[in-house]
Amino acid sequence: MTLRFALLGDPVRHSISPAMHRAAFDVLALDAEYTARRTAPDEVGPIMRSADLAGGNVTLPHKLRAARALARPSAAVRATGACNCWWRRPDGELAGDNTDVGGLRTALSRFGFRPRGARVLLLGAGGAARAAVHGLLEGGASSVEVLNRTPARARALRDRALAHATDADRAADAVRVVAAPHAGATYDLVLNSTSLGLSSGDPLPLELVRNAVGARFGAAFDMVYAAGETAWVRHARVLGIRAVGGLDMLVGQAALSLERWFPGRAAPFEVMREAAVAELRSRPEPEPADGSSAA
Ligand SMILES: NC(=O)c1ccc[n+]([C@@H]2O[C@H](COP(=O)([O-])OP(=O)(O)OC[C@H]3O[C@@H](n4cnc5c(N)ncnc54)[C@H](OP(=O)(O)O)[C@@H]3O)[C@@H](O)[C@H]2O)c1
C-alpha cells in the first residue's frame, strides 16, 4: 500500500520539500508519495488526523497549530511550541517533532562548528530562533545573545527557553536579550534567523565589520538558503569570515523527518541535497518576500 505524506502550509507553491522527499523515496525504493497542500488554519488538525495520511511536514504559518494537534509531542516540540514533522504511530496516536532543531545541529556539524562552550549572537526571535536557542543550549553553548527588531519578542523567546530548558539556571545565565552586539566582543558564531535575505532588495541582517561597536565574528550561519551563496554569506566571506547558508539545515530537517516516518532507514542526505539544489536552480523568479520558501 502506498504511504501518503503531505506538506501543510500557506503558501506552499515554492516549497522544495516535495522534490527532496520524492528523490529520497525513489532511491530507497519506498512505496510512498509526498505532496504539498495549501492549508487553511482550521484545516491543519483535521488533515493531520485524516486516515489517508501516514504523516507529513508543516511550514509557515502552521507550526504552532500543528504542535497543539499532537498527542505525543517530542521534547523539541514541547520546548519550542512548534512542530514541523508529524506521523501516525501504530496505536493511531499522532506523534510529532521539531526537526529544525536537529537540522540545525546537522548543518553546524557539517560546517565544522561545535556549539559546546561557544559564544553566539542570534539575530531574530521568530519560530526558527526558538529552534536555534533550544538546539544551541542542548549543544552546550556558553551564551546566546538574542538581537531582534522587536525586543519584546526576544524577551518572550528567552522566557520560553528558560521555562523549558533542561538546566534552567544555566539557561538563565546563557540566554540574554541585547539591543546591539556587545562592544568589542568576539563571537564564535553569528546566526541569522531573521527573514532578511529572502528578498533581493533586503538590507543585510547585520553589517559584520562596520557594526557600531566593533564586535568580531569567528563564523556566520545564515538560515536563509539559496542554491549558491546568500548575500549575507557573500558579505561575510569577503571579510574573511567563514560562512554558510541554510541549505544543509533545510536538507537536515527533511532527512530527519524521513527517518521519523521510516524508523531504521537512513535518509540519503546527498541525494536530497542534490534534489534541493536542482529545484532551487530551476526557479525562474527570485524568492518571494513573504517567507513562503521555508521548507
Ligand atoms: N534553513 C532552514 O531549514 C530554515 C528553517 C526554518 C526557517 N528558516 C528561515 O529562517 C527565517 C525566519 O523564519 P521564521 O519561521 O523564524 O519566521 P518568523 O517567525 O516570521 O520570524 C521572522 C524574524 O525575522 C525578523 N524580521 C522580519 N523582517 C525584518 C526586518 N525587515 N528587519 C529586521 N528583522 C526582521 C522578525 O523580527 P520581528 O520579531 O521584529 O518581526 C523575526 O525575528 C526565514 O528566512 C526562513 O526561511 C530556514
Side-chain angles (χ1 to χ4, degrees):
M1 188 187 71
T2 304
L3 293 176
R4 294 195 165 76
F5 299 88
L7 170 69
L8 314 184
D10 186 12
V12 287
R13 199 157 46 94
H14 295 280
S15 172
I16 57 179
S17 289
M20 286 191 286
H21 285 294
R22 287 173 191 158
F25 294 163
D26 272 359
V27 80
L28 295 175
L30 294 169
D31 185 6
E33 282 177 1
Y34 190 103
T35 51
R37 290 195 191 182
R38 187 173 177 200
T39 309
D42 59 359
E43 293 175 322
V44 173
I47 292 179
M48 287 171 71
R49 285 187 283 274
S50 67
D52 67 317
L53 287 176
N57 290 123
V58 184
T59 188
L60 288 172
H62 299 322
K63 290 183 186 181
L64 306 189
R65 195 174 283 267
R68 294 196 291 271
L70 299 173
R72 301 282 179 158
S74 69
V77 170
R78 289 195 302 274
T80 59
C83 161
N84 75 327
C85 167
W86 96 92
W87 62 95
R88 184 179 310 287
R89 296 178 1 144
D91 63 8
E93 290 198 320
L94 284 190
D97 199 0
N98 185 337
T99 63
D100 285 339
V101 174
L104 176 61
R105 190 182 311 123
T106 300
L108 288 176
S109 162
R110 286 171 64 92
F111 184 44
F113 182 84
R114 286 196 193 83
R116 186 155 300 282
R119 179 173 187 176
V120 180
L121 178 65
L122 174 64
L123 310 176
R130 289 187 187 189
V133 168
H134 178 66
L136 289 166
L137 284 177
E138 294 291 298
S142 69
S143 71
V144 182
E145 295 174 32
V146 184
L147 172 56
N148 193 47
R149 175 178 64 176
T150 309
R153 209 168 174 205
R155 288 194 290 273
L157 176 75
R158 180 179 189 273
D159 292 347
R160 176 167 200 104
L162 266 49
H164 293 275
T166 40
D167 182 343
D169 289 341
R170 194 175 73 79
D173 282 344
V175 184
R176 291 190 283 273
V177 175
V178 297
H182 200 77
T186 298
Y187 294 92
D188 299 300
L189 181 75
V190 54
L191 196 159
N192 176 38
S193 79
T194 76
S195 36
L196 287 174
L198 281 177
S199 302
S200 50
D202 281 349
L204 295 173
L206 183 71
E207 171 67 62
L208 295 178
V209 273
R210 285 186 290 280
N211 61 85
V213 295
R216 293 147 67 101
F217 303 97
F221 187 102
D222 192 355
M223 281 201 194
V224 173
Y225 50 84
E229 288 175 321
T230 67
W232 194 59
V233 165
R234 193 157 46 247
H235 164 74
R237 286 179 179 164
V238 164
L239 297 170
I241 298 169
R242 230 161 56 78
V244 72
L247 185 63
D248 280 353
M249 177 178 172
L250 181 82
V251 180
Q253 64 76 28
L256 288 169
S257 295
L258 187 139
E259 290 173 1
R260 300 290 182 273
W261 303 329
F262 298 96
R265 304 302 293 258
F269 188 97
E270 294 303 335
V271 169
M272 298 174 85
R273 195 180 194 285
E274 277 168 32
V277 170
E279 188 67 20
L280 284 166
R281 290 217 163 104
S282 74
R283 289 179 175 184
E285 300 293 331
E287 302 286 310
D290 58 4
S292 61
S293 67

